[in-house]
Amino acid sequence: IENKRQDGKTIFPKKFCEIGFRHLKLMKYYEEKHSVPACGFDICDVSVKYANHKGYEAECFDLNYISPENNIDLSGSNLVMCYHVLEHVVDPLHAIKNIFDAMDDLTVFHVEVPLENTPNVKYGHVFPFHKQDLPAMLSSVGFDILGLAYHQAPGYAYERVIAIKNFGSYNRG
Protein backbone atom coordinates (compact mmCIF):
# COMPACT_ATOMS: atom_id res chain seq x y z
CA ILE A 1 0.00 0.00 0.00
CA GLU A 2 1.70 3.14 -1.18
CA ASN A 3 0.84 6.61 0.07
CA LYS A 4 1.45 9.12 -2.69
CA ARG A 5 1.30 12.85 -2.24
CA GLN A 6 0.00 15.10 -5.01
CA ASP A 7 3.60 15.82 -6.05
CA GLY A 8 4.19 12.06 -6.52
CA LYS A 9 6.45 11.60 -3.50
CA THR A 10 5.75 8.59 -1.31
CA ILE A 11 4.80 9.20 2.31
CA PHE A 12 6.39 6.60 4.57
CA PRO A 13 4.74 6.19 7.92
CA LYS A 14 6.64 6.71 11.15
CA LYS A 15 3.79 5.04 13.05
CA PHE A 16 0.82 3.18 11.58
CA CYS A 17 -2.57 2.92 13.27
CA GLU A 18 -5.58 0.94 12.12
CA ILE A 19 -9.09 1.65 13.34
CA GLY A 20 -11.10 -1.56 13.11
CA PHE A 21 -8.37 -4.11 12.43
CA ARG A 22 -9.98 -7.51 13.26
CA HIS A 23 -6.89 -9.28 11.92
CA LEU A 24 -3.27 -8.16 12.03
CA LYS A 25 -2.47 -8.24 8.31
CA LEU A 26 -1.88 -4.49 7.81
CA MET A 27 -0.17 -3.93 11.15
CA LYS A 28 2.13 -6.85 10.40
CA TYR A 29 2.82 -5.52 6.87
CA TYR A 30 3.97 -2.10 8.09
CA GLU A 31 6.06 -3.52 10.91
CA GLU A 32 7.78 -6.11 8.73
CA LYS A 33 8.10 -4.26 5.39
CA HIS A 34 8.77 -0.73 6.66
CA SER A 35 9.97 -1.34 10.26
CA VAL A 36 7.19 0.93 11.47
CA PRO A 37 5.55 0.55 14.88
CA ALA A 38 1.87 -0.32 14.51
CA CYS A 39 -1.15 0.04 16.77
CA GLY A 40 -4.86 -0.44 16.46
CA PHE A 41 -8.34 0.09 17.85
CA ASP A 42 -11.14 -2.43 17.47
CA ILE A 43 -14.55 -3.02 19.01
CA CYS A 44 -13.90 -6.75 19.41
CA ASP A 45 -12.07 -7.57 22.66
CA VAL A 46 -10.90 -10.94 21.26
CA SER A 47 -9.11 -9.16 18.39
CA VAL A 48 -7.54 -6.71 20.84
CA LYS A 49 -6.36 -9.48 23.17
CA TYR A 50 -4.87 -11.40 20.22
CA ALA A 51 -3.08 -8.26 18.95
CA ASN A 52 -1.69 -7.57 22.44
CA HIS A 53 -0.58 -11.21 22.70
CA LYS A 54 1.30 -10.81 19.39
CA GLY A 55 3.05 -7.70 20.76
CA TYR A 56 0.97 -4.97 19.13
CA GLU A 57 -0.35 -1.94 20.98
CA ALA A 58 -4.13 -2.34 20.69
CA GLU A 59 -7.17 -1.07 22.56
CA CYS A 60 -10.84 -1.87 22.61
CA PHE A 61 -12.88 1.10 21.35
CA ASP A 62 -16.35 1.72 19.91
CA LEU A 63 -16.55 4.73 17.54
CA ASN A 64 -20.24 5.11 18.45
CA TYR A 65 -19.07 6.53 21.80
CA ILE A 66 -16.23 8.75 20.58
CA SER A 67 -16.14 12.30 21.95
CA PRO A 68 -13.55 14.93 22.87
CA GLU A 69 -13.53 13.48 26.40
CA ASN A 70 -13.43 9.86 25.17
CA ASN A 71 -11.21 9.91 22.10
CA ILE A 72 -8.62 7.56 20.65
CA ASP A 73 -4.94 8.43 20.91
CA LEU A 74 -3.51 8.85 17.43
CA SER A 75 -0.61 11.08 18.42
CA GLY A 76 2.61 10.11 16.72
CA SER A 77 0.82 8.16 13.97
CA ASN A 78 1.17 9.68 10.53
CA LEU A 79 -0.81 6.98 8.71
CA VAL A 80 -4.25 5.91 9.92
CA MET A 81 -6.47 3.39 8.12
CA CYS A 82 -10.16 2.85 8.69
CA TYR A 83 -11.60 0.29 6.26
CA HIS A 84 -15.22 -0.85 6.50
CA VAL A 85 -15.86 0.64 9.93
CA LEU A 86 -17.77 3.91 9.50
CA GLU A 87 -20.85 2.20 8.04
CA HIS A 88 -21.24 0.54 11.47
CA VAL A 89 -21.39 3.93 13.23
CA VAL A 90 -24.69 5.73 13.78
CA ASP A 91 -23.14 9.19 13.23
CA PRO A 92 -20.02 8.78 11.08
CA LEU A 93 -19.55 12.55 10.67
CA HIS A 94 -19.23 12.89 14.44
CA ALA A 95 -16.71 10.02 14.50
CA ILE A 96 -14.69 11.54 11.62
CA LYS A 97 -14.55 14.92 13.40
CA ASN A 98 -13.19 13.32 16.56
CA ILE A 99 -10.68 11.22 14.60
CA PHE A 100 -9.52 14.42 12.86
CA ASP A 101 -9.11 16.16 16.23
CA ALA A 102 -7.04 13.23 17.56
CA MET A 103 -4.61 13.30 14.62
CA ASP A 104 -1.38 15.23 14.31
CA ASP A 105 -1.06 17.64 11.39
CA LEU A 106 -0.04 16.00 8.10
CA THR A 107 -1.44 12.62 9.14
CA VAL A 108 -2.63 10.60 6.14
CA PHE A 109 -6.06 8.98 6.52
CA HIS A 110 -7.11 6.04 4.30
CA VAL A 111 -10.84 5.33 4.56
CA GLU A 112 -13.07 2.88 2.73
CA VAL A 113 -16.82 2.32 2.98
CA PRO A 114 -19.35 0.25 1.01
CA LEU A 115 -21.87 2.16 -1.09
CA GLU A 116 -25.45 1.18 -0.26
CA ASN A 117 -28.93 2.62 -0.74
CA THR A 118 -30.22 1.55 2.67
CA PRO A 119 -28.73 0.21 5.91
CA ASN A 120 -27.60 -3.38 5.45
CA VAL A 121 -28.75 -5.14 8.60
CA LYS A 122 -27.26 -8.43 7.42
CA TYR A 123 -23.77 -6.98 7.89
CA GLY A 124 -24.58 -4.62 10.76
CA HIS A 125 -24.37 -1.52 8.58
CA VAL A 126 -26.37 1.27 10.22
CA PHE A 127 -25.29 4.18 7.99
CA PRO A 128 -25.78 3.85 4.22
CA PHE A 129 -23.02 5.70 2.36
CA HIS A 130 -23.73 6.99 -1.13
CA LYS A 131 -21.23 8.15 -3.74
CA GLN A 132 -19.42 11.32 -2.57
CA ASP A 133 -20.77 11.12 1.03
CA LEU A 134 -17.39 10.13 2.44
CA PRO A 135 -15.23 12.79 0.75
CA ALA A 136 -17.86 15.43 1.62
CA MET A 137 -17.75 14.41 5.29
CA LEU A 138 -13.95 14.34 5.36
CA SER A 139 -13.73 17.77 3.72
CA SER A 140 -16.36 19.26 6.03
CA VAL A 141 -14.25 18.57 9.12
CA GLY A 142 -11.03 19.90 7.55
CA PHE A 143 -9.34 17.04 5.70
CA ASP A 144 -7.74 17.75 2.32
CA ILE A 145 -8.67 15.03 -0.19
CA LEU A 146 -5.63 13.58 -1.96
CA GLY A 147 -7.30 10.75 -3.85
CA LEU A 148 -10.63 9.06 -4.46
CA ALA A 149 -11.46 5.69 -6.01
CA TYR A 150 -14.64 3.73 -6.68
CA HIS A 151 -14.70 -0.01 -7.12
CA GLN A 152 -17.60 -2.03 -8.43
CA ALA A 153 -18.02 -5.78 -8.26
CA PRO A 154 -21.15 -7.88 -8.77
CA GLY A 155 -23.49 -6.91 -5.94
CA TYR A 156 -20.88 -4.78 -4.23
CA ALA A 157 -19.48 -1.26 -4.59
CA TYR A 158 -17.22 0.79 -2.37
CA GLU A 159 -15.56 4.16 -2.15
CA ARG A 160 -11.97 4.65 -0.98
CA VAL A 161 -10.54 8.03 -0.03
CA ILE A 162 -7.05 9.12 0.93
CA ALA A 163 -7.04 12.39 2.85
CA ILE A 164 -4.57 14.36 4.92
CA LYS A 165 -4.96 16.65 7.91
CA ASN A 166 -4.01 20.29 7.28
CA PHE A 167 -1.93 19.65 4.15
CA GLY A 168 -3.35 22.74 2.46
CA SER A 169 -2.07 25.12 5.13
CA TYR A 170 1.46 23.66 4.79
CA ASN A 171 1.25 23.52 1.00
CA ARG A 172 0.35 27.21 0.81
CA GLY A 173 3.34 28.13 2.99
Side-chain angles (χ1 to χ4, degrees), residues 23-143:
H23 52 77
L24 305 176
K25 191 182 290 185
L26 289 174
M27 286 192 275
K28 186 176 178 182
Y29 169 84
Y30 278 101
E31 267 199 354
E32 290 180 0
K33 181 161 178 149
H34 298 294
S35 300
V36 171
C39 66
F41 296 90
D42 198 277
I43 194 170
C44 178
D45 63 336
V46 173
S47 295
V48 170
K49 287 176 185 172
Y50 180 69
N52 292 151
H53 172 75
K54 290 293 191 179
Y56 295 97
E57 179 187 331
E59 292 180 37
C60 212
F61 197 85
D62 184 344
L63 285 179
N64 283 297
Y65 301 104
I66 196 169
S67 70
E69 300 78 30
N70 182 39
N71 208 344
I72 54 181
D73 181 11
L74 297 172
S75 59
S77 298
N78 69 333
L79 174 60
V80 176
M81 294 186 108
C82 185
Y83 279 18
H84 293 265
V85 173
L86 293 174
E87 66 273 14
H88 299 277
V89 178
V90 174
D91 186 354
L93 181 59
H94 175 77
I96 290 168
K97 169 71 173 122
N98 282 280
I99 291 168
F100 179 87
D101 290 345
M103 289 178 167
D104 296 336
D105 285 350
L106 300 180
T107 298
V108 175
F109 191 35
H110 275 258
V111 193
E112 182 177 285
V113 295
L115 299 175
E116 302 170 310
N117 292 324
T118 60
N120 189 333
V121 179
K122 178 179 176 184
Y123 298 112
H125 299 173
V126 295
F127 189 90
F129 279 90
H130 302 89
K131 216 172 197 182
Q132 292 292 320
D133 284 349
L134 183 58
M137 287 180 184
L138 292 165
S139 294
S140 76
V141 303
F143 280 105

